[in-house]
Structure formats: structure tokens, C-alpha cells
Amino acid sequence: MKVIFMGTPEFSVGTLEALIEAGHEVVLAVTQPDKPKGRGGKMQYPPVKETALKYDIPVYQPKKIREEACIEELRKYQADIMVVIAFGQILPQAILDMTPYGCVNVHASLLPKYRGAAPIQWAVINGEKVSGVTTMQMDAGLDTGDMLLKTEVVLDEKETGGSLHDKLAEAGARLCVETLKGLEAHAITPEKQGESPTEYARMLDKSLGKIDWTRPAEEIERLIRGLNPWPSAYTDWTGKAMKIWEAQVINQEEAKAAQQEAAKPGTVVKVEKDGFLVQTGKDLLKVCALQIPGKKRMDAGAFLRGYQVEAGEKLGSEG
């Protein structure tokens, strides 16, 4: 097929490469404009642009894809299909209807679950045991089009947002190739989506990472994993933002043995060689890996050899 590929971040790259390897003719890569990065403000290419240039694929970077000039630019390529994966802009109906096979989206959840911008991280935060990828025939709604194919991915016990991202990117690449093959052979029957059983997977921001120690330890531990590597979970420690990268839930029976009396949430109740235990709204949370400003990520044991944390100390700001 002649394919116009629309995507921007690293998550999209594997699918672009899989389409090329499968023998499809990617006639254009559409991605977001370059952005300045770092203190020097040097312009950086999106990952999809870097990959497209490596394969000598023309690149188009419109600021607003809905503009008529952008729509006309896409028409010139006379593609058979558009593949869209984490592009970052909403497509107008004129683009959705432009090619014979329409626009196929690769979405990182088992639709209709987790429609929205951050399905990967929310699956971890919410404690899902299974996630996956869905290919979908795009319509005017937000992740509401007819489903084409699905593939499941089982989450590990210590799955992070980063590790699940990589698994789903790989699974999505394979599923996209399979989907295009099925569409060409007219072997796929689109399936309507029902109502979503989950909340909209809203975009992540740094404020989401602030740990509320009144929540159960199990919820906090999932938040830590889900927001790893970005934007990360954090708490206040002596006026500094302490990022917590890895933690372990200590259940109620173990918690009773670790503390002499009930403590307020956020209180350090015990310091061990390899970490420290913090009271939560339910159970204790053992901090196993962390980071403070100006330092790299480190095991809690290494941190405790250089910094003092005492039982009775309070983490987190009030209110």
C-alpha cells in the first residue's frame, strides 16, 4: 500500500519501521514541528522525523493540520491509507475521508478502555493486569472509531509506565502490519465500540506525581510505577522534592511488627539498611529507590549511607 504515516514520539517509530520492512511504500511522514530543547534552546527533531529521514522519506511538519493548505498538500500523495499513531493533532473530516482505506489509528489500550492521551500510564496506575493495543478506523470522535484488531499484553508485577510503553510499541507495530494485510484482503470486520468502562485517560502533568500519603500504600506504589520515567512521583523531604522511583507495599501484619503505635500518614516509622518505611492511609510503603535534586537516582540504602532519615520524620507538605 501507499501509506501516509502520521506520528511524532518514540512510541510511533517502531510502527513506521515495521511498515517499511513489510514492503509498504511510505510516501510521506507527517509529524509535529521541531521544538527547542535544553538550556541552549537547540531545535530538536521529533523521533518520527529522524527515522523518516534515515529512510529518505519526505517529511511534512504542519503547525495546524486542519488548515486547507495542509489538507491539499496531503492530497498530492494519492495514498491508499493513512496510519496514525500518537500524532498529536486532531484530524479534520476531510483527511479522515481522503484515502480509499481511510485513517487507521494504533491505540495503546484495549478499546473502549482508556480512550485518551495517556492510556499506558493509567493502566499501570489503576492496577490493570492486562493491557494491549487496538487498531481502529478513525472517525470524528476521540478514540471512538470502529475497532479492527486487538492484541493483549500481560503486565508484570513491577511493570512501569516506561516498560509497558516499550512492550505496547512493539506489539502495536506488529498489529499495524497485520491490520493492513487484513484490510487489503478484505478479511477484517470492523466492530463498533461500546461505552468505555474507564475514565478518560487524561494527559499527564507533574502535579499528578505529588504523593498523597493518606492514600493506601498499594495505590501509591502503582502511582510510582505508572509515572516512571515521567513525570515521576515525588514527596517533600526537608524542603526538597524527593522523587521516589521504586517502593514496596508492607501489608498490615508486617506493618504492625514494624511500628509500635499508629502514626500519621507520611511519617517514617522505621529505617532499615536498604530503605525506610512510611505510614500511608493503609499499610506501610517501603521506599527502595529515590532521587533528590542534584543527584542521580540511587538505591535507598546508598541514600541512607549519605543522608540521615529518622523514625518520626514527616514526608510531604501539609495540605
Side-chain angles (χ1 to χ4, degrees):
M1 283 193 183
K2 289 177 67 176
V3 178
I4 290 178
F5 184 86
M6 307 179 77
T8 299
E10 192 64 39
F11 188 79
S12 312
V13 168
T15 299
L16 173 57
E17 292 182 326
L19 290 171
I20 296 167
E21 289 168 11
H24 294 285
E25 182 187 359
V26 181
V27 294
L28 181 68
V30 185
T31 189
Q32 296 279 60
D34 302 344
K35 289 185 177 180
K37 187 176 182 181
R39 292 182 181 178
K42 184 179 179 181
M43 298 300 284
Q44 185 176 47
Y45 291 172
V48 162
K49 179 177 180 178
E50 289 184 347
T51 304
L53 293 175
K54 185 171 73 174
Y55 289 97
D56 296 321
I57 296 169
V59 175
Y60 184 48
Q61 296 176 275
K63 288 184 178 179
K64 294 183 180 179
I65 195 69
R66 304 181 71 88
E67 292 180 351
E68 189 60 36
C70 298
I71 296 170
E72 290 308 311
E73 178 64 24
L74 298 187
R75 286 191 200 280
K76 296 176 184 177
Y77 290 86
Q78 299 182 328
D80 299 313
I81 192 168
M82 295 188 193
V83 172
V84 184
I85 174 168
F87 171 53
Q89 295 188 45
I90 296 174
L91 304 183
Q93 195 66 44
I95 290 179
L96 296 177
D97 297 338
M98 187 179 291
T99 61
Y101 288 92
C103 293
V104 170
N105 177 241
V106 182
H107 185 75
S109 81
L110 297 174
L111 289 171
K113 276 189 167 185
Y114 296 104
R115 295 171 180 156
I120 300 171
Q121 294 84 357
W122 284 107
V124 177
I125 293 169
N126 290 343
E128 297 287 349
K129 303 298 183 186
V130 177
S131 183
V133 180
T134 306
T135 49
M136 169 187 66
Q137 194 78 53
M138 293 177 71
D139 63 13
L142 192 60
D143 301 330
T144 56
D146 290 353
M147 299 178 292
L148 301 173
L149 295 178
K150 290 184 181 183
T151 186
E152 293 187 350
V153 171
V154 177
L155 275 67
D156 290 339
E157 190 176 319
K158 288 296 183 180
E159 199 78 66
T160 65
S163 62
L164 185 58
H165 168 282
D166 294 347
K167 289 179 181 179
L168 294 183
E170 186 177 332
R174 292 194 302 268
L175 191 68
C176 185
V177 171
E178 186 182 345
T179 299
L180 265 59
K181 183 178 180 181
L183 288 173
E184 276 192 291
H186 303 287
I188 295 177
T189 303
E191 179 186 350
K192 297 286 184 185
Q193 289 191 47
E195 291 298 315
S196 178
T198 56
E199 290 185 2
Y200 178 78
R202 69 182 188 277
M203 191 175 294
L204 305 178
D205 61 56
K206 291 184 179 180
S207 65
L208 182 64
K210 184 177 181 180
I211 294 172
D212 177 359
W213 292 106
T214 67
R215 304 304 302 168
E218 185 179 355
E219 286 186 19
I220 298 172
E221 192 271 341
R222 293 199 309 255
L223 180 75
I224 291 166
R225 289 189 288 111
L227 300 185
N228 179 352
W230 193 90
S232 75
Y234 65 92
T235 190
D236 180 81
W237 174 69
T238 65
K240 302 181 183 72
M242 174 188 282
K243 292 183 178 181
I244 299 180
W245 291 113
E246 187 179 338
Q248 177 185 346
V249 176
I250 306 297
N251 66 36
Q252 206 66 50
E253 290 305 312
E254 293 175 280
K256 286 178 183 177
Q259 64 189 104
Q260 302 301 314
E261 57 184 31
K264 288 185 177 180
T267 303
V268 177
V269 299
K270 188 178 182 183
V271 180
E272 300 177 342
K273 284 186 177 181
D274 60 346
F276 51 93
L277 282 60
V278 185
Q279 179 67 56
T280 72
K282 180 187 176 186
D283 299 329
L284 300 180
L285 191 74
K286 182 174 180 178
V287 176
C288 303
L290 56 87
Q291 184 177 4
I292 56 174
K295 300 292 181 180
K296 294 181 179 180
R297 170 179 170 161
M298 66 185 91
D299 291 338
F303 171 78
L304 290 169
R305 288 191 290 273
Y307 299 89
Q308 191 170 10
V309 175
E310 297 180 345
E313 192 171 335
K314 184 77 163 58
L315 299 180
S317 54
E318 299 293 336

